[in-house]
Amino acid sequence: AAGKGFYESERDVSSTGLARKNSLWKGVQRVPLLLEEIDKPVIAQVHGFAFGAGLDMALMCDIRVAAQTAKLSESYINVGIVPGDGGAYYLPKLAGIDQALDMLWTGRVLKAEEAKEKGLVTFVVPDDELEQFTLDYAAKLADGPQAAIQFIKRAVYQSQKMDLRSALDYISSQMGLVTELDDYKEGVNAVIEKRKAHFK
C-alpha cells in the first residue's frame, strides 16, 4: 500500500478534501516518518519503474542502488496532483531546488545513470548484478562496527539542522563514547597488526 500512489485509490479521489488529506497522513505519509526513526542503514534496491510514490520511497532511504535499466520519475504532475509522498521534501535535498522543480513540474523520466548524475541514486549496476551487489553492500555494513555506523547516521542527518559549532560538539560527544567500545580497540589492533577487523 505504501508504494501505491495516492491517486490509485478510487476511494481517495471520490471523497472529500479533508478525507483525502487524512488518508495520506494516516497512510503513506507514515512511511517517511517511520523510516526517519530507523537507526540503522536503510538501502533501496531500485529496478523497473520507480515513479511517483515508488521514487519517493527510494529517496527516503539512506543508500539507493539502481539497476542499469531502471527509470525514475516524479510523475505526479501527469495526473495533476502534488507529490504527497515526500518528494517535495527529499528531492531538493538530493538534487537541488532547480532540479527538483524541473522533475516535479515536468514529470521527466530519468534513466538510472542520469539519476545518479543528479544525486538521486548512489550506485548503478547491471541488472543481473543488482540483487547480489545490494546484498554484498548490506553485508559489509552489517559486519562493521554497529555503534559507529549508528552514530554516523545520526550525525549526518542531525548536522543538517545544526550550525557548525553544534555539529562539532555533537560529534565530539559521539567520539567520546565510541572510543570506549570494544569495536574501537579491535579496529586499532587490526590496523596495527595489518589484518581485517572483526567487529562484534
Side-chain angles (χ1 to χ4, degrees):
K4 288 188 176 180
F6 156 77
Y7 52 84
E8 291 179 17
S9 170
E10 191 176 309
R11 182 190 56 173
D12 288 340
V13 295
S14 63
S15 61
T16 67
L18 181 59
R20 289 191 298 275
K21 176 191 172 21
N22 286 336
S23 175
L24 269 174
W25 181 250
K26 293 176 183 173
V28 73
Q29 288 182 341
R30 292 178 59 208
V31 175
L33 294 170
L34 290 169
L35 281 175
E36 189 176 52
E37 296 299 314
I38 296 177
D39 219 13
K40 294 178 186 270
V42 179
I43 303 167
Q45 182 176 287
V46 181
H47 57 88
F49 296 90
F51 282 19
L55 174 54
D56 291 347
M57 183 78 66
L59 298 180
M60 296 169 199
C61 298
D62 302 314
I63 299 288
R64 288 160 299 285
V65 183
Q68 219 156 17
T69 60
K71 301 220 174 12
L72 301 88
S73 174
E74 287 288 9
S75 57
Y76 300 98
I77 198 73
N78 295 334
V79 290
I81 63 172
V82 297
D85 303 326
Y89 179 83
Y90 292 103
L91 196 57
K93 291 179 182 311
L94 295 168
I97 291 173
D98 60 334
Q99 294 295 323
L101 285 171
D102 174 60
M103 286 183 66
L104 291 163
W105 282 339
T106 67
R108 180 183 319 283
V109 177
L110 304 180
K111 293 180 179 175
E113 284 293 345
E114 187 180 0
K116 184 176 187 304
E117 288 170 17
K118 291 183 184 295
L120 305 184
V121 171
T122 317
F123 303 103
V124 175
V125 297
D127 288 41
D128 60 351
E129 296 175 22
L130 178 66
E131 189 165 345
Q132 192 59 54
F133 181 96
T134 308
L135 289 171
D136 290 346
Y137 189 88
K140 180 179 175 115
L141 296 181
D143 287 342
Q146 293 307 296
I149 287 172
Q150 178 185 59
F151 285 176
I152 288 168
K153 179 172 176 174
R154 288 184 194 175
V156 166
Y157 285 109
Q158 292 187 33
S159 68
Q160 303 306 303
K161 304 170 189 172
M162 297 177 177
D163 59 32
L164 177 59
R165 183 172 297 276
S166 300
L168 292 173
D169 185 51
Y170 179 75
I171 203 77
S172 64
S173 298
Q174 292 181 320
M175 185 69 82
L177 294 173
V178 295
T179 52
E180 291 185 352
L181 301 177
D182 289 341
D183 281 345
Y184 169 70
K185 296 174 188 108
E186 166 59 14
V188 170
N189 288 335
V191 169
I192 292 168
E193 298 164 11
K194 297 181 180 173
R195 63 175 173 80
K196 185 180 185 304
H198 300 288
F199 299 110
K200 294 179 183 178

